[in-house]
Amino acid sequence: MQLRRHVLAVFLVSVAPACNDLWGIDSLDFDAPAAGGSNATGTAGAPQGGSGGAGGTGGSGLGVGGGGGDAGAPIVCQAGQSEPCYDGAAGTEGVGLCHGGTRVCNPAGTAFGPCDGQVLPATEICNNVIDEACDGPGGGGCLVDTGLIVRYFIAEASSGQAPTALVDVAPSPLPMPISYTNNLDYAQVGGHLGLSWLAAGSSGTVAVAAAGTKIAQALTASKTATIEVVAQIAAATGNPLARLGHPTLGSQFSVLVTTMTGVEVLFGGGQNCGSWPVNFSAGRQVLHAVLDTSQPTVATRLQVYVNGTLVAPSASTTCPAADQGLDPSQSTYSIGSRTDSAASIQGTIFYAALYSAALTPAEVATNATLLLVNDDH
C-alpha cells in the first residue's frame, strides 16, 4: 500500500508541468478539499425587465456563468383600453371643425395606437362659413363670416359695363344683377375696384329680390342683422348705401347717406332710428350697422361703426322696439340706389355684405382692419 502511494505521487509530480501547460494550472494542492461547485446556469430575469441570474460558481474554476435576463418594454396601459386623444395645438380642440378622437392600447400593453377620428387644423378657406384653421372668427387672414348671408367684393372688372351681376362669394351664391345707365360703371379708385355712380340722384341699379332667397330665409323674424359696406362718397342727399326695403312698404333695414358728414339708419318699415356722424370727405370708409333688438336699451339695439370704431349717434335713437323682428319677404336688397327711382349716391361702392348675426365689436374691428387694406378679395 505504501509502495502504491509512492508511485502515484511520483506520477503526479511528473505530469504536473504538462497539466500546467495544458490547462493553465499553476499548482495542485492535494491536501485541500476540492471547492468545485456545480456549473449552475443563472436564473433568467422576468419578461418585464427582471435582473439577470447570478453566475454559478465554477467547478475547479471552470464553472459557466448564468445568462442575463431579457429586459422588455414597460407596461403603460391595459390591452384594449381606449381613451380620448387630440394631437392638435392647444386651444384648437372644439374650435371650428377641430375635434378629438380615440386611441386604443396595443395587445402587449406597451403603447397606445394612433388617434383615430380626430380632425386637426387645416389651411383656412375664406368666405365658406367654415373654420378649417380652428382659430375662431376672422382667423387665417379671412373676413369674419358669422351669420354671413351674402358677400360681394365688387371686383369683377376695373372699368366698363361688361359684368352683368355681382358675384356672391358666400355659400349658395346669390348673384346681384346690374342695370347699367350712362351714370354707372365699374371703376378703380385708389387701387380698389368697385361700381361708381357719376352723379347723385341718377339711375342705374344693383339689386336682387329677397323673396324666396337665402336672404328671406335667414332674416325673416330675425332680431339680429349686420349691414357691412365699403364706400367713398362724393355727394349724397338721402341716398342709400345699402338697403333692404320695398318701394311702398319702406325700409326693413337700410343705411342712407344724408350728407357728407353723416348717415341715417332706417328700420322696420321706414322708421328713422337716428343719425350717426361719418366724415366722407376723408375718403374711403368701412361702415357697419349692427342690429340686435334683444338688447335691453334702444341705444344698444342699433349701433354704427366707422372703420371698426363705435360712434355715438348725433341724437338719441328712437328705435327699434324691443325684440322686434325683420320681415324681408317683400323686400329687395340693393346697394348705391333705390330700385323704384333715380336715387343714387355720387361715389363708389367697393364692397357689400349682409349678415343674419349681430357682429361683435371684435368681429367688426377684424373685418374693418382687413377691408381697409383690401376689399377686392
Side-chain angles (χ1 to χ4, degrees):
M1 180 60 119
Q2 193 69 24
L3 177 61
R4 278 186 287 185
R5 287 181 180 175
H6 177 74
V7 171
L8 178 60
V10 172
F11 171 77
L12 291 175
V13 170
S14 65
V15 299
C19 291
N20 181 53
D21 292 338
L22 180 61
W23 292 308
I25 300 174
D26 291 331
S27 62
L28 293 175
D29 188 350
F30 298 103
D31 296 325
S38 61
N39 292 337
T41 301
T43 302
Q48 287 75 35
S51 301
T57 302
S60 301
L62 301 179
V64 180
D70 181 15
I75 296 296
V76 298
C77 54
Q78 183 177 352
Q81 171 191 352
S82 64
E83 68 177 23
C85 56
Y86 183 69
D87 297 327
T92 61
E93 185 177 7
V95 178
L97 291 180
C98 292
H99 60 77
T102 304
R103 61 181 187 174
V104 179
C105 184
N106 67 21
T110 56
F112 279 98
C115 188
D116 292 328
Q118 68 177 339
V119 175
L120 300 177
T123 301
E124 191 75 57
I125 300 173
C126 297
N127 308 310
N128 65 351
V129 200
I130 298 173
D131 182 11
E132 295 90 351
C134 306
D135 51 1
C142 296
L143 293 169
V144 171
D145 48 20
T146 306
L148 179 65
I149 305 172
V150 293
R151 174 172 285 158
Y152 303 99
F153 282 109
I154 317 180
E156 294 80 11
S158 59
S159 62
Q161 299 181 340
T164 59
L166 302 185
V167 175
D168 176 18
V169 299
S172 303
L174 181 64
M176 184 183 289
I178 305 170
S179 295
Y180 292 103
T181 66
N182 291 336
N183 290 308
L184 178 60
D185 288 285
Y186 272 88
Q188 186 169 7
V189 181
H192 302 272
L193 304 178
L195 275 169
S196 289
W197 285 261
L198 303 180
S202 63
S203 56
T205 60
V206 186
V208 61
T213 71
K214 61 180 180 176
I215 294 176
Q217 293 169 2
L219 292 180
T220 297
S222 178
K223 300 177 184 179
T224 58
T226 299
I227 288 175
E228 183 175 64
V229 62
V230 182
Q232 184 167 319
I233 304 300
T237 54
N239 310 117
L241 275 179
R243 183 175 191 265
L244 183 65
H246 185 273
T248 59
L249 299 178
S251 291
Q252 280 294 307
F253 189 27
S254 302
V255 177
L256 308 183
V257 181
T258 53
T259 66
M260 289 297 292
T261 59
V263 298
E264 292 179 348
V265 179
L266 307 185
F267 174 77
Q271 304 172 73
N272 188 339
C273 293
S275 60
W276 286 261
V278 182
N279 182 15
F280 287 110
S281 297
R284 187 167 143 271
Q285 305 289 320
V286 179
L287 282 87
H288 289 85
V290 181
L291 174 74
D292 185 354
T293 64
S294 68
Q295 292 297 314
T297 65
V298 173
T300 56
R301 291 173 198 151
L302 183 57
Q303 297 184 314
V304 172
Y305 297 78
V306 179
N307 298 331
T309 300
L310 179 67
V311 296
S314 301
S316 298
T317 54
T318 58
C319 59
D323 296 319
Q324 186 175 355
L326 290 164
D327 180 12
S329 60
Q330 300 183 65
S331 296
T332 296
Y333 175 59
S334 61
I335 60 171
S337 180
R338 292 173 63 103
T339 58
D340 58 330
S341 62
S344 73
I345 61 168
Q346 180 180 341
T348 304
I349 295 183
F350 302 96
Y351 166 95
L354 188 60
Y355 302 79
S356 62
L359 296 188
T360 67
E363 291 173 332
V364 167
T366 294
N367 278 11
T369 299
L370 293 171
L371 289 168
L372 283 168
V373 176
N374 188 347
D375 55 32
D376 290 330
H377 58 79

